[in-house]
Amino acid sequence: MKHLAQGAQDGGMSDVKAFDKTLGVCEYIKDKLKKGDAVLVKASHGMNFSEVYRAIKNN
C-alpha cells in the first residue's frame, strides 16, 4: 500500500495517506472527510474494504 501512496506523491498528488489497518482508515475518515471530497481507495477484501466503504458512505 505504501508504494501506491509514494507513487501518487511522486506523480504530484498532495495529501496522500496510506493505512495498514482498516480501523485507521475509518477513524481518519470520521475526522477528516467532508462533503464534496474525492476519495481514491485501493483496498482488498482482506482489509475489509466493505467497512471502509461504509465509513465513507456514512460520513
Side-chain angles (χ1 to χ4, degrees):
M1 249 351 131
K2 296 196 187 235
H3 296 292
L4 286 172
Q6 186 62 52
Q9 289 175 330
D10 292 347
M13 293 183 77
S14 62
D15 199 21
V16 176
K17 305 290 184 227
F19 299 91
D20 293 326
K21 304 213 185 235
T22 304
L23 182 60
V25 175
C26 294
E27 289 300 317
Y28 181 83
I29 288 169
K30 288 178 190 174
D31 292 338
K32 302 290 183 184
L33 197 63
K34 295 180 232 110
K35 188 173 182 103
D37 286 348
V39 178
L40 171 64
V41 177
K42 165 61 177 97
S44 65
H45 290 289
M47 282 191 66
N48 297 315
F49 174 74
S50 58
E51 289 181 36
V52 176
Y53 170 76
R54 279 193 295 275
I56 292 170
K57 183 178 175 189
N58 294 330
N59 189 29

